[in-house]
Amino acid sequence: MRFRISIFLLTALILPSLVSGQSTRKRTKEGNELFQGEKYDQALNKYQDALLSDPENRRLQFNVGSTLYKKKKYEEALEGFQKVVGTDELEVEQNAYYNMGNTLYRMGKLPESILAYQQALKLNPDDMDAKYNLEYVRRKLKDNSEKQQSQQQDQQQQQQQQQQNQDDQQNQESQDQEQSEQEEQDQQQRQQQQQENQQQLSKEDAERILDALKNDEKDIQKKRKVEAKGRYRVDKDW
């Protein structure tokens, strides 16, 4: 029996085992029933027990890979499916490539997943799930590429904007520095001018004071002359 579970149309397959021996067939059947009941740990134990009796059985190896896939142990699942490749059973090999595509997709290896689906379609061109998954992953890969390009463009624009902001900030800082230096220079010039003005005023005040003193001296001399003229000599009567 071939069992297929749909996960976004990325499915895992399980096949019945065509092995000899009542014990092996029983364990395989029990494993299939446990798998269908989503009891993957127990199913894996049954398949591995069955493999002890027939270690080269490709269908059992396939079922082990499918169970590991459901347990999300994708690395180990991929190894299980790879062991199936090269079998004489075309159906088993085709489904192994299909499940390898699913596993690689879950691992984020989209280009490798596409190759696996393509190989599955070479063995069975009528596998509609493989066709769908192939186109799905191709679109996903294209979208990721476009998204990455868009992110790179956004990142470049952000870097350019940051660089522009840094340049603007540097220019503003340079202008502020020049303005500060100019203001400091203007202040020094004003202080120097004030000092010169004070010195000039002091000189002018000194000249005015000196002139005033000269004028006072002249007035005093004039007064003395006037007083001298107003005096008369008194002859003593001896």
Side-chain angles (χ1 to χ4, degrees):
M1 177 180 70
R2 189 173 88 175
F3 185 73
R4 181 175 286 216
I5 296 177
S6 177
I7 305 175
F8 303 111
L9 290 181
L10 298 173
T11 62
L13 303 174
I14 183 170
L15 297 173
S17 176
L18 301 178
V19 296
S20 60
Q22 184 176 0
S23 177
T24 303
R25 286 197 299 271
K26 179 182 177 181
R27 290 170 181 169
T28 302
K29 181 180 178 181
E30 291 173 349
N32 292 348
E33 291 174 352
L34 290 166
F35 185 93
Q36 294 178 46
E38 299 183 1
K39 298 178 180 180
Y40 302 120
D41 289 331
Q42 299 177 38
L44 183 62
N45 290 334
K46 293 295 181 179
Y47 292 140
Q48 290 175 336
D49 289 343
L51 275 173
L52 294 176
S53 301
D54 190 3
E56 298 300 323
N57 188 286
R58 296 293 186 266
R59 290 184 174 237
L60 278 174
Q61 291 171 345
F62 179 95
N63 290 355
V64 168
S66 295
T67 308
L68 290 168
Y69 173 89
K70 296 301 293 183
K71 287 169 61 65
K72 299 183 179 180
K73 294 185 177 182
Y74 300 125
E75 290 283 354
E76 298 177 36
L78 185 62
E79 293 177 2
F81 295 133
Q82 288 173 338
K83 292 178 181 179
V84 178
V85 174
T87 180
D88 294 334
E89 296 184 76
L90 181 62
E91 181 184 10
V92 177
E93 185 176 23
Q94 192 272 337
N95 286 322
Y97 275 116
Y98 174 83
N99 275 11
M100 286 172 62
N102 297 344
T103 306
L104 289 164
Y105 173 82
R106 295 299 184 187
M107 295 169 65
K109 299 181 178 181
L110 303 191
E112 293 87 344
S113 176
I114 289 175
L115 295 176
Y117 289 132
Q118 289 176 334
Q119 190 63 33
L121 286 171
K122 287 181 180 179
L123 298 175
N124 181 12
D126 296 327
D127 189 338
M128 298 306 297
D129 287 341
K131 288 182 179 179
Y132 181 91
N133 292 352
L134 176 61
E135 294 305 317
Y136 178 87
V137 178
R138 280 175 172 170
R139 289 195 303 270
K140 186 76 172 180
L141 190 62
K142 181 180 178 181
D143 291 342
N144 289 349
S145 177
E146 292 176 351
K147 183 178 180 180
Q148 184 178 6
Q149 291 178 356
S150 178
Q151 290 176 345
Q152 290 177 348
Q153 291 177 354
D154 292 341
Q155 185 177 6
Q156 290 177 353
Q157 291 177 355
Q158 290 177 357
Q159 291 176 349
Q160 291 175 354
Q161 185 63 41
Q162 290 176 354
Q163 184 63 43
Q164 182 64 40
N165 292 339
Q166 290 178 357
D167 293 342
D168 292 342
Q169 184 177 1
Q170 290 176 355
N171 291 335
Q172 184 63 42
E173 290 176 353
S174 178
Q175 292 177 0
D176 292 343
Q177 180 66 24
E178 291 178 358
Q179 183 177 359
S180 177
E181 292 176 354
Q182 183 64 41
E183 290 176 353
E184 183 178 358
Q185 184 177 359
D186 292 343
Q187 184 177 4
Q188 291 177 352
Q189 290 178 351
R190 286 195 297 271
Q191 291 176 350
Q192 183 178 359
Q193 185 65 39
Q194 289 176 356
Q195 292 176 355
E196 292 177 355
N197 291 339
Q198 290 175 356
Q199 292 176 357
Q200 182 67 27
L201 288 173
S202 298
K203 184 178 179 181
E204 292 176 355
D205 290 342
E207 290 178 351
R208 283 197 296 271
I209 293 172
L210 183 60
D211 291 341
L213 291 174
K214 289 179 179 181
N215 292 331
D216 289 344
E217 181 66 23
K218 289 179 179 180
D219 292 339
I220 290 171
Q221 291 178 0
K222 288 180 179 180
K223 288 180 180 181
R224 285 177 178 175
K225 289 180 179 180
V226 171
E227 290 176 354
K229 290 180 179 181
R231 289 178 184 175
Y232 58 91
R233 185 169 182 175
V234 178
D235 294 332
K236 291 182 178 181
D237 187 8
W238 302 102

